[in-house]
Amino acid sequence: MSLPSDFLGRMLFILREYGPSFLSGAGKTMAIAIVGTLIGCIIGFAVGIVQTIPVSKHDNPVKRVLLKAVKVILNVYVEIFRGTPMMVQAMFIFYGSSALFQINMSIVFAAYFIVSINTGAYMAETVRGGILSIDPGQTEGAKAIGMTHFQTMVNVIMPQALRNIMPQIGNNLIINIKDTCVLSVIGVVELFYATKGVAGAYYTYFEAFTITMIIYFILTFTCSRILRHWEKKMDGPDSYDLATTDTLAYTSGMVKFPDPKEKEDK
């Protein structure tokens, strides 16, 4: 079948002939981006929390030395992966692991691994900033009632920091959807790689990549709307009433909470 002469006709022709290739590539792109972002968030939270562990001169010297060494290693990891392009990281890790350590990664594993550790480096700084943005008085108050650093992080600081860094988590997902295209250099058959094959079949590069651009936009726009809706859910209602059992403190905007003593009298 010959190609239509008009631009729109050629795009429709390509979609009919290679629609499954586009869908398969888009599915692989989304899988890598979502899994890589989730694992990257876990890495980022772990690194960010360790980086903010306080060290006092009253602590055990061994603890101080070990913690300092760990923080130096984590800082090196963050600086390297934030300071180099993902494409270079992909080439270095995929081919370097084989050349230096005789580790033959599968292409799929390499894709997930590279996106995860790259995202983890960015998330580490985001989490660290989110933790430091919380009022220090809350940490002091938690310690005053006997909470450990771990308990303070889990119960007091992280729930608030999570809300502050949610936009950046969503931003990292959007970036990963687009940046998975660099993994084509190691042979990952994601959306960009699939498009190159489709475009080369009939030399319809403009038409094929127009379709791909539209697909990328649909993926990123949809994820952006979903994450924005999630953020609003985390904010809670715009107006609410405070419950109180103190009649003297009752003012407009407060609801008198049922007093247990009243129930006992009845």
Side-chain angles (χ1 to χ4, degrees), residues 32-47 77 112-124 127 169 172 176:
I32 295 172
I34 292 173
V35 174
T37 302
L38 289 175
I39 297 176
C41 284
I42 295 172
I43 295 172
F45 272 94
V47 174
Y77 155 67
Y112 288 111
F113 180 72
I114 292 161
V115 174
S116 297
I117 58 175
N118 180 273
T119 304
Y122 283 94
M123 281 304 305
V127 171
I169 294 176
N172 282 332
N176 285 339

Side-chain angles (χ1 to χ4, degrees), residues 240-242 249-255:
Y240 52 88
D241 294 324
L242 296 176
Y250 180 81
T251 60
S252 178
M254 291 186 176
V255 173

Side-chain angles (χ1 to χ4, degrees), residues 37-84:
T37 302
L38 289 175
I39 297 176
C41 284
I42 295 172
I43 295 172
F45 272 94
V47 174
I49 290 172
V50 171
Q51 287 179 321
T52 56
I53 294 177
V55 179
S56 170
K57 59 183 179 181
H58 302 295
D59 290 334
N60 187 308
V62 176
K63 174 188 173 182
R64 282 187 291 166
V65 171
L66 287 176
L67 193 56
K68 186 174 182 179
V70 170
K71 286 185 176 182
V72 168
I73 294 171
L74 294 179
N75 284 333
V76 170
Y77 155 67
V78 170
E79 293 301 326
I80 289 177
F81 281 91
R82 288 175 68 235
T84 55

